Amino acid sequence: MTDLLYSEEEEALRAAVRDLLADHCDAAGVIARTESDAPHDIRLWKALTDGMGLAGLLVPEELDGQGATHREAAVVLEELGRAVAPVPYLTSAVVATEALLACGADDLLTELASATTIGALAVGLHIAPGAAFPTVRVDGGALHGELTGIADAAVADVLLVPADDGGLYAVSASHATVTPQVSFDLTRPLATVALEAAPGRRLGDAAPAVRRALRAGAGLLASEQLGLADRTLTETVRYLKERKQFNRPVGGFQALKHRLAQLWLEVVGLRAAARNAADALTAGEDADIAVAVAQAYAAPVAVHAAEEALQLHGGIGMTWEHPVHLYLKRAKADSIAYGTAGAHRASLAGPVDLQAP
């Protein structure tokens, strides 16, 4: 039987990442970044990658990576979710890396593992694993077209672009026009990528690479959503213990206790689903089902946790200065990232023989 509990090594990794984020990723700093022209925190990204080697967790050691598993990457994403960290970890160290692993692009994998290069898969953030995805046109060895909703494209050095000939191409960001889009989640900005006769290097077949990348992205996104939900629940409980009304802590009111207890049960369930997805991706067994189950459950729980935090913080929760809006926006954006909960439930219908009427 698989042990979904955290190992000592995973807990040590969690502690190290949490300490680093405590020093480099305070809420006020994240809010200030969302108001600037540079929402990504490259200094934090360098601390995570140069100092701890986290960009190469999923890359084999012979390619200068850490040779770790999806379980370790999931722990990192839990902590990044807790801090709503504006870094391209999920998009570069997980999604782009998985696409390159499927293609065997060793040189680019080495660059991504060392974080000398940031990668982005040029597939819209809303696309679910196994779903159709837009492509660009190949003409005379050059790429032409426009792709929208590309997460973290603004800081990418290399774009992995699917084309109409069935190939996945590596395109230098310097040969693309990247235009920011209005993003609901200001900590994971989206962009439009336009290519006009852009040179590209064919890496391999796009369909299996994109499917593998999006499956890993969806599966490990559940761990980010877990970290977000757990943090908002913890902070809400702490606030309700301190906030007083009628000369008693607000958290002592029975109705609020029931709401928090229900939310705690949902977060515990999310932890089990997220851990199972990370373990299934590591083992390579029943990963499609485990990922779909995790994503079908994760989005409603993360959104519920953030909404409860907003409501139960009262007036202060409605202010821009309080970070709860960052969590709500990330939770809502994550709820449609790599497929909605409904899309993942639909994908489960076939394997369990439970078709809609």
Side-chain angles (χ1 to χ4, degrees), residues 209-226:
V210 170
R211 177 176 173 79
R212 173 174 172 170
L214 297 186
R215 186 180 70 172
L220 296 187
L221 178 67
S223 290
E224 176 184 290
Q225 290 163 305
L226 167 61

Side-chain angles (χ1 to χ4, degrees), residues 94-121:
V94 175
V95 176
T97 296
E98 287 279 345
L100 293 174
L101 286 168
C103 295
D106 291 357
D107 57 334
L108 282 175
L109 281 168
T110 298
E111 292 177 20
L112 259 64
S114 62
T116 55
T117 296
I118 296 174
L121 180 66

Side-chain angles (χ1 to χ4, degrees), residues 43-342:
R43 187 172 66 91
L44 172 60
W45 173 247
K46 290 297 184 185
L48 289 165
T49 55
D50 291 350
M52 302 182 70
L54 297 183
L57 280 184
L58 298 179
V59 179
E61 291 183 53
E62 58 267 25
L63 298 177
D64 296 337
Q66 301 296 321
T69 73
H70 296 86
R71 288 176 59 120
E72 286 81 14
V75 169
V76 174
L77 278 164
E78 278 186 46
E79 293 306 310
L80 295 177
R82 283 179 59 88
V84 203
V87 293
Y89 188 84
L90 181 64
T91 46
S92 182
V94 175
V95 176
T97 296
E98 287 279 345
L100 293 174
L101 286 168
C103 295
D106 291 357
D107 57 334
L108 282 175
L109 281 168
T110 298
E111 292 177 20
L112 259 64
S114 62
T116 55
T117 296
I118 296 174
L121 180 66
V123 173
L125 184 62
H126 62 287
I127 303 292
F133 50 87
T135 60
V136 298
R137 178 171 54 89
V138 180
D139 186 6
L143 304 178
H144 307 259
E146 184 175 280
L147 300 165
T148 62
I150 312 303
D152 295 333
V155 289
D157 302 300
V158 63
L159 299 163
L160 308 180
V161 183
D164 60 1
D165 67 345
L168 186 69
Y169 288 79
V171 177
S172 170
S174 62
H175 293 131
T177 302
V178 179
T179 307
Q181 292 179 254
V182 176
S183 307
F184 187 66
D185 176 11
L186 301 174
T187 61
R188 181 174 284 146
L190 307 179
T192 296
V193 173
L195 304 175
E196 285 190 32
R201 174 163 69 98
R202 197 180 198 278
L203 302 173
D205 294 336
V210 170
R211 177 176 173 79
R212 173 174 172 170
L214 297 186
R215 186 180 70 172
L220 296 187
L221 178 67
S223 290
E224 176 184 290
Q225 290 163 305
L226 167 61
L228 185 154
D230 186 63
R231 175 66 179 274
T232 51
L233 173 60
T234 300
E235 288 302 306
T236 303
V237 170
R238 181 188 62 76
Y239 177 76
L240 293 183
K241 285 181 177 179
E242 297 174 354
R243 179 80 168 89
K244 291 188 176 180
Q245 197 172 63
F246 305 117
N247 207 31
R248 60 179 289 192
V250 174
F253 292 104
Q254 193 73 10
L256 299 189
K257 285 183 179 180
H258 287 169
R259 287 170 66 172
L260 293 171
Q262 177 61 37
L263 186 55
W264 181 84
L265 288 172
E266 292 177 12
V267 172
V268 169
L270 173 52
R271 178 171 286 107
R275 292 295 293 167
N276 184 54
D279 190 73
L281 287 167
T282 297
E285 299 176 2
D286 298 324
D288 287 340
I289 292 177
V291 167
V293 168
Q295 271 307 310
Y297 190 75
V301 173
V303 171
H304 184 208
E307 288 176 343
E308 289 286 69
L310 183 68
Q311 287 188 14
L312 297 179
H313 274 81
I316 192 175
M318 302 290 180
T319 64
W320 181 261
E321 290 75 15
H322 196 280
V324 70
H325 66 90
L326 296 175
Y327 290 87
L328 180 57
K329 291 170 184 172
R330 174 65 69 89
K332 293 291 283 185
D334 282 356
S335 71
I336 59 171
Y338 306 119
T340 62

